[in-house]
Amino acid sequence: SASPPPCAPATEPSAWEQMDEWLDVLEDENLIEESSLEELRENISELRQQPEEEWFSHSSLEATDNLRETLGQDIRDLASDLDTLERDLAALQQHGQQMSEEAKQKTLEEYDEALDGLSSNGMEVNESLREQLGEIDPSQLGQQQGQQMSSEQMEQLQQQLSEGSEALGSMEGLPDLQDAPFQNPGDEMMPMAQGGAGGIDEETGQAPLFFGEEQDLGTDQVEGVSNQDFSRASLGELLEIGETQHRVDESSGGSRTGGAAASNGSGGDAVWRESLMPSEQAVLKRYFK
């Protein structure tokens, strides 16, 4: 008798494959220590080593969800911290001397928070990257003296931070990133009004709708804006809004009772006419002849 066909291999949970892809990107970008990557791969391997009939059990799926959520959040936090470090380094390097003390202090605090975030991340950041960041004194950036790194080294570091943040942030399936609206602290031309860091005002419950200082031009004169050149007007574009008086036809009769006509017919409208085909007209001519 014919032997039964071999059983197809069981399909594993898609979250395992997705986490493998995340770790491959981390390895390609050289952002995480190899020992940390091996530990994460071992956690996924332990899930695969279960009997296939238990892959989709409640306990297995719960463990998978917990691992995926933790790993995804660590990657998202890492991407956010790398982006913050790159942004603040660029701001301090380019605008450090022109920034006000308040803006510079906020930038330095944000930089330190991102640096602490790398240290407390569940994944161990690459030692070479940590050493480069540790050599920088952000308070001395933008000054001619006291710089620990050359401009070429600083540019390479910023490029690595930017590429790493972009690569991690473009991964599919990561938790949503909910950050406050971004404001470049080194841009003195566009400070956020009422609070500086964005967000909603606790007293009014409204967010500021403008950048920079609100300016009062000191005038109450209102002037209209018009353009008489219609050569560039597009089809359906509103060209003008005018105001006219209604024209009321006073010759119309008043109300009537019993369904009577409201007005007398005039001219040819008083005669009822019927449109007939030529053959029908010939029949009527012969009949009334």
Side-chain angles (χ1 to χ4, degrees):
S1 60
S3 60
C7 297
T11 303
E12 65 181 29
S14 59
W16 299 352
E17 182 179 359
Q18 187 176 58
M19 288 188 288
D20 284 336
E21 294 175 355
W22 291 350
L23 296 181
D24 290 339
V25 175
L26 289 172
E27 184 175 11
D28 293 339
E29 296 297 325
N30 195 26
L31 297 172
I32 304 299
E33 282 293 309
E34 186 65 28
S35 58
S36 184
L37 287 173
E38 289 299 327
E39 181 179 355
L40 292 170
R41 294 190 189 278
E42 182 64 25
N43 292 335
I44 302 175
S45 178
E46 290 179 0
L47 295 174
R48 285 196 172 99
Q49 290 174 3
Q50 301 176 101
E52 293 183 0
E53 59 270 15
E54 296 183 7
W55 281 358
F56 291 92
S57 65
H58 176 74
S59 59
S60 177
L61 293 179
E62 184 177 10
T64 297
D65 290 341
N66 290 335
L67 179 60
R68 179 180 177 276
E69 182 178 355
T70 301
L71 177 58
Q73 190 60 54
D74 287 342
I75 294 175
R76 179 63 78 189
D77 291 342
L78 177 60
S80 178
D81 290 335
L82 293 177
D83 179 69
T84 300
L85 291 172
E86 188 276 329
R87 186 175 68 234
D88 291 344
L89 285 176
L92 292 168
Q93 180 80 358
Q94 299 173 14
H95 308 286
Q97 293 182 316
Q98 294 79 24
M99 294 170 64
S100 65
E101 286 300 324
E102 181 181 2
K104 188 172 184 179
Q105 185 62 32
K106 288 183 178 179
T107 306
L108 292 174
E109 291 176 358
E110 184 182 61
Y111 179 89
D112 290 338
E113 290 178 1
L115 205 57
D116 292 340
L118 292 185
S119 301
S120 60
N121 194 289
M123 300 178 296
E124 186 177 359
V125 180
N126 183 279
E127 182 178 1
S128 175
L129 179 59
R130 284 185 285 125
E131 289 180 353
Q132 293 182 68
L133 292 172
E135 295 176 359
I136 299 175
D137 183 358
S139 62
Q140 300 297 321
L141 292 177
Q143 303 180 13
Q144 296 297 330
Q145 68 281 2
Q147 294 195 33
Q148 300 87 348
M149 301 179 63
S150 64
S151 58
E152 292 79 8
Q153 292 174 324
M154 180 64 68
E155 184 177 351
Q156 293 176 0
L157 176 59
Q158 293 177 8
Q159 183 177 0
Q160 182 182 5
L161 295 173
S162 177
E163 292 177 352
S165 173
E166 183 177 357
L168 301 186
S170 62
M171 289 182 179
E172 296 183 357
L174 293 179
D176 293 333
L177 183 61
Q178 299 177 352
D179 283 346
F182 164 67
Q183 176 202 2
N184 188 344
D187 192 349
E188 293 290 336
M189 301 297 292
M190 298 174 61
M192 286 288 290
Q194 300 181 3
I200 297 177
D201 188 275
E202 295 181 357
E203 296 182 359
T204 63
Q206 299 177 352
L209 299 180
F210 54 86
F211 284 100
E213 297 294 336
E214 187 177 12
Q215 298 180 358
D216 184 1
L217 300 180
T219 177
D220 55 1
Q221 182 178 358
V222 180
E223 298 181 3
V225 178
S226 62
N227 182 12
Q228 302 300 326
D229 182 12
F230 299 143
S231 61
R232 298 181 180 275
S234 59
L235 184 63
E237 182 177 355
L238 178 63
L239 300 180
E240 182 180 4
I241 298 178
E243 183 176 339
T244 60
Q245 296 291 334
H246 292 289
R247 298 179 58 186
V248 180
D249 185 5
E250 299 180 354
S251 64
S252 60
S255 59
R256 296 290 187 272
T257 59
S263 62
N264 296 324
S266 60
D269 295 336
V271 181
W272 176 73
R273 296 180 179 274
E274 180 68 39
S275 298
L276 300 175
M277 300 290 290
S279 58
E280 296 173 336
Q281 294 178 4
V283 172
L284 291 177
K285 285 182 180 180
R286 290 196 304 269
Y287 182 81
F288 290 105
K289 183 176 179 180

